[in-house]
């Protein structure tokens, strides 16, 4: 077998970065019953943030994935049309930002269909990808996503740099060993709270808890870049997914820090992709015949 030249070997290493934006606007606050004017305005700031994020992505020539609830499409159509106009992927993030784990199967399916219809009206096609509000799937979610033609999900935390096939029917019982269910054709694009802007930055006070947030944006972006550096050091092929919210990341000092992160990633050779494209690349690798 001929020895591959060094340049080819280098090219066989691919480190993909997916930038994802959950364009919730007011939906998350309404779903939690926070409907007084100030929390609603906090969600409204997502419209300002989205304009800034779109401008930044354009300046880097990067396509991203926007998870847009049906609520945001119906309430803020101009802002959503701008996302489509810039060539970004629009993916499914429920209609009303109610986590599937809190819904019956019938409620979950109705919500899935309603939000998909909103996406089809906005983009001309149904969503290929799904991310659950608050990252809490129900026992039915994987089945429903398969039944409705989804290609990938991005709500689970079972890996960091490699997509995997989502399972259904895992069996758990207290005091019993874990029994994994069957792997499905749905590609899981894993996520993590540590790579989500919300817990790092947002100050949230409820009757029972305080989420302090408000961390240094540059420190968080340094951590996020270290995740990329570790992926590059330890795997030849991988996908790293960052999750952001326009109303969170859209603050000026955070936008400057994000710009710094994108520059560092670009300089370090990151290949930016939408989740849809990265899931397709992962699928090809999973199902490719072994090389001779
Ligand atoms: Zn969300």
């Amino acid at each position: 077998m001929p020895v591959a030249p060094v340049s080819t070997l280098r090219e066989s290493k691919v480190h993909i970065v997916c930038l994802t934006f959950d364009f919730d606007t007011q939906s998350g606050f309404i779903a939690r019953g926070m409907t007084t004017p100030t929390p609603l305005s906090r969600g409204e700031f997502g419209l300002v943030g989205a304009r800034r994020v779109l401008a930044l992505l354009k300046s880097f020539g990067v396509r991203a994935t926007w998870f847009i609830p049906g609520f945001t499409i119906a309430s803020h159509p101009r802002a959503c049309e701008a996302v489509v106009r810039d060539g970004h992927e629009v993916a499914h993030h429920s209609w009303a930002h109610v986590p599937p784990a809190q819904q019956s199967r019938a409620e979950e399916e109705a919500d899935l269909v309603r939000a998909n219809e909103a996406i089809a009206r906005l983009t001309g096609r149904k969503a290929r990808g799904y991310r659950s509000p608050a990252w809490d799937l129900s026992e039915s979610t994987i089945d429903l996503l398969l039944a409705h033609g989804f290609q990938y999900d991005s709500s689970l935390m079972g890996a960091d740099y490699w997509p995997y096939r989502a399972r259904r029917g895992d069996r758990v019982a207290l005091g019993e060993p874990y029994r994994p269910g069957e792997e499905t054709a749905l590609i899981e694009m894993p996520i993590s709270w540590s790579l989500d802007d919300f817990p790092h930055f947002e100050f949230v006070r409820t009757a029972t808890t305080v989420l302090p947030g408000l961390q240094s944006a540059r420190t968080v972006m340094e951590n996020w870049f270290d995740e990329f550096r570790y992926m590059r050091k330890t795997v030849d092929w991988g996908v790293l997914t960052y999750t952001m919210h326009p109303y969170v990341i859209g603050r000026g000092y955070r936008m400057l820090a994000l710009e710094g992160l994108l520059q560092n990633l670009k300089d370090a050779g990151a290949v930016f992709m939408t989740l849809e494209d990265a899931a397709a690349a992962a699928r090809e690798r999973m199902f490719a015949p072994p090389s001779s």
Side-chain angles (χ1 to χ4, degrees):
M1 202 175 91
V3 176
V6 171
S7 62
T8 314
L9 284 176
R10 280 217 186 94
E11 279 160 21
S12 74
K13 296 188 177 190
V14 179
H15 299 106
I16 297 167
V17 167
C18 297
L19 304 177
T20 67
F21 297 90
D22 297 0
F23 196 10
D24 297 341
T25 62
Q26 297 98 334
S27 63
F29 295 99
I30 296 170
R32 291 185 191 95
M34 298 167 76
T35 53
T36 51
T38 301
L40 292 176
S41 70
R42 193 169 167 181
E44 185 179 327
F45 182 71
L47 302 172
V48 177
R51 286 196 293 274
R52 293 177 179 170
V53 168
L54 286 175
L56 180 66
L57 294 174
K58 192 175 273 184
S59 75
F60 275 87
V62 166
R63 286 177 65 227
T65 298
W66 290 63
F67 288 93
I68 312 186
F71 167 89
T72 299
I73 297 172
S75 308
H76 310 293
R78 299 288 95 73
C80 299
E81 284 159 14
V83 172
V84 176
R85 209 163 39 238
D86 282 5
H88 301 291
E89 177 193 2
V90 174
H92 199 296
H93 194 46
S94 82
W95 202 95
H97 213 275
V98 176
Q102 298 175 10
Q103 294 174 310
S104 69
R105 185 182 171 111
E107 286 168 347
E108 183 178 357
E109 186 161 29
D111 185 271
L112 201 66
V113 169
R114 185 184 182 198
N116 227 350
E117 283 167 357
I119 288 173
R121 277 196 297 275
L122 174 69
T123 69
R125 56 187 297 210
K126 287 183 179 170
R128 277 76 65 207
Y130 174 80
R131 171 175 288 163
S132 79
W135 284 332
D136 205 357
L137 301 183
S138 76
E139 285 181 358
S140 312
T141 306
I142 302 296
D143 267 345
L144 290 173
L145 294 178
L146 287 163
H148 288 272
F150 283 81
Q151 304 291 309
Y152 72 88
D153 170 65
S154 184
S155 316
L156 298 176
M157 308 182 183
D160 44 13
Y161 309 138
W162 49 94
Y164 58 100
R165 291 200 263 168
R167 293 187 307 270
R168 62 176 153 197
D170 284 16
R171 285 192 295 161
V172 286
L174 188 62
E176 297 286 323
Y178 197 87
R179 294 195 177 81
E182 54 152 349
E183 288 189 336
T184 71
L186 194 75
I187 307 289
E188 180 57 41
M189 306 301 284
I191 44 76
S192 162
W193 285 115
S194 66
L195 295 172
D196 181 321
D197 59 359
F198 190 91
H200 298 299
F201 295 136
E202 284 303 289
F203 174 78
V204 183
R205 188 181 51 205
T206 70
T208 51
T209 53
V210 173
L211 187 68
L214 306 179
Q215 289 188 41
S216 155
R218 290 194 189 269
T219 302
V220 172
M221 294 298 140
E222 248 176 58
N223 292 344
W224 284 15
F225 185 52
D226 278 350
E227 276 278 1
F228 179 80
R229 291 176 57 231
Y230 192 76
M231 173 171 77
R232 204 178 54 171
K233 186 176 166 176
T234 55
V235 299
D236 287 346
W237 190 96
V239 182
L240 185 61
T241 300
Y242 299 111
T243 298
M244 290 164 274
H245 301 74
Y247 78 87
V248 178
I249 202 72
R251 292 277 152 194
Y253 71 101
R254 296 176 189 153
M255 288 302 297
L256 282 177
L258 175 61
E259 186 177 341
L261 172 68
L262 296 190
Q263 190 60 52
N264 285 341
L265 289 167
K266 189 177 163 190
D267 294 345
V271 177
F272 292 97
M273 282 190 190
T274 61
L275 273 181
E276 179 185 15
D277 290 348
R283 183 186 297 275
E284 235 170 68
R285 288 179 64 88
M286 285 174 196
F287 298 106
S291 56
S292 53

